[in-house]
Amino acid sequence: MLDNRMHLTPRLRTIMAQVPSGARLADIGTDHALIPAALLRRGRIQTAIASDIRQGPLDSAARTARQFGLDGQISLRLGAGMCTVQPQEADTIVIAGMGGETIAQILEDDPWALDGEHLLLLQPMTAQPFLRQYLAAHGGIIEKESLCREGKRMYTVLTVRGGGKTEQKSLPECCISEALLQDPMAEQYVTRLLEREKKITVSLESAVHQKPEELALHRANVQVLQDALCRIRKEG
């Protein structure tokens, strides 16, 4: 009943499922603060910070808090990225509903998030390879990558902890992660990615004005995804 009243989508539910019990949560780019509100109502977290760069979403977050009897339990912060949060205030950080490049920039601006002491739950809407590449280069370990379906789209939620070794990876190597391949919906997700990359490659190959570097990138993506799909089917 609670979930219905709060209109929690599969994407939000998937993020919430990764939040450890007793966490001190910071929700960056909170929008309506549905994640912290739902987790507080369930007694799953100790404290909650809801931060956003715009006042409008924070007003919505305040309405959510009032609606569900959480006045004073969610600390509302106005500001860009994680500048509103001190490292000791939270042990679990949600950054969801943004492009992968934006999420990477937020982490770049406040590198303490990848110190190994904080659990990061990242849900990129776009540029997933770029985000995985950034994490690899900055010691971010993808402990788990969870897939969910919402309408016709599939989303991925990265459970990340810093403090790992740094690796320089190419974008094609970051099309997917080893963690993603463990998800039950991995075959469906990789198949979708592969079909898209093949279409892009064919389009680039037939273009009047060739773009060699871009074409090489998508050909490499196709190869990585084909290999991954073979592995999934073999191991399945």
Side-chain angles (χ1 to χ4, degrees):
M1 182 177 180
L2 171 63
D3 288 355
N4 291 334
R5 289 175 59 196
M6 298 187 89
H7 304 293
L8 296 175
T9 64
R11 182 173 62 91
L12 297 185
R13 291 172 186 264
T14 301
I15 297 167
M16 287 170 53
Q18 312 311 314
V19 176
S21 179
R24 292 175 291 122
L25 182 75
D27 185 18
I28 308 301
T30 191
D31 199 12
H32 289 72
L34 291 177
I35 290 175
L39 291 171
L40 282 169
R41 291 266 293 187
R42 295 177 179 185
R44 283 267 311 280
I45 58 177
Q46 295 182 52
T47 60
I49 296 169
S51 180
D52 206 283
I53 195 171
R54 295 178 295 131
Q55 186 62 48
L58 285 184
D59 292 340
S60 297
R63 286 193 292 271
T64 297
R66 286 195 300 271
Q67 181 180 355
F68 295 101
L70 299 170
D71 276 325
Q73 295 187 51
I74 302 176
S75 177
L76 303 178
R77 312 273 178 93
L78 178 64
M82 293 186 292
C83 72
T84 61
V85 181
Q86 295 299 311
Q88 67 275 13
E89 290 186 292
D91 53 40
T92 303
I93 299 167
V94 171
I95 311 176
M98 305 177 196
E101 293 177 342
T102 300
I103 294 174
Q105 186 60 57
I106 289 173
L107 298 176
E108 180 72 13
D109 291 341
D110 288 281
W112 57 262
L114 284 169
D115 61 4
E117 300 298 320
H118 297 82
L119 186 69
L120 308 181
L121 302 177
L122 312 176
Q123 190 275 299
M125 302 294 281
T126 60
Q128 290 88 350
F130 182 90
L131 178 58
R132 295 189 191 102
Q133 184 184 53
Y134 178 86
L135 291 170
H138 293 80
I141 303 167
I142 303 176
E143 297 181 342
K144 184 177 182 181
E145 192 159 350
S146 309
L147 293 166
C148 69
R149 187 185 297 105
E150 193 170 299
K152 294 183 178 180
R153 294 194 62 176
M154 293 185 73
Y155 297 97
T156 181
V157 177
L158 287 69
T159 301
V160 176
R161 193 176 292 277
K165 66 177 182 179
T166 60
E167 297 180 83
Q168 300 302 318
K169 292 186 175 183
S170 68
L171 276 176
E173 289 179 289
C174 299
C175 278
I176 49 173
S177 69
E178 286 297 317
L180 183 146
L181 297 181
Q182 307 309 310
D183 190 273
M185 290 194 288
E187 182 174 356
Q188 181 182 353
Y189 184 76
V190 174
T191 298
R192 287 189 181 191
L193 289 183
L194 179 57
E195 290 174 352
R196 185 184 70 185
E197 287 297 322
K198 284 182 174 179
K199 288 180 181 178
I200 294 172
T201 301
V202 168
S203 177
L204 289 171
E205 288 173 339
S206 60
V208 175
H209 301 289
Q210 293 291 310
K211 300 178 180 179
E213 291 186 5
E214 189 175 350
L215 178 57
L217 171 65
H218 289 284
R219 281 175 171 166
N221 289 344
V222 168
Q223 187 60 58
V224 168
L225 294 168
Q226 284 178 332
D227 292 346
L229 199 55
C230 287
R231 282 181 55 195
I232 293 169
R233 290 170 175 168
K234 182 178 180 180
E235 294 171 4

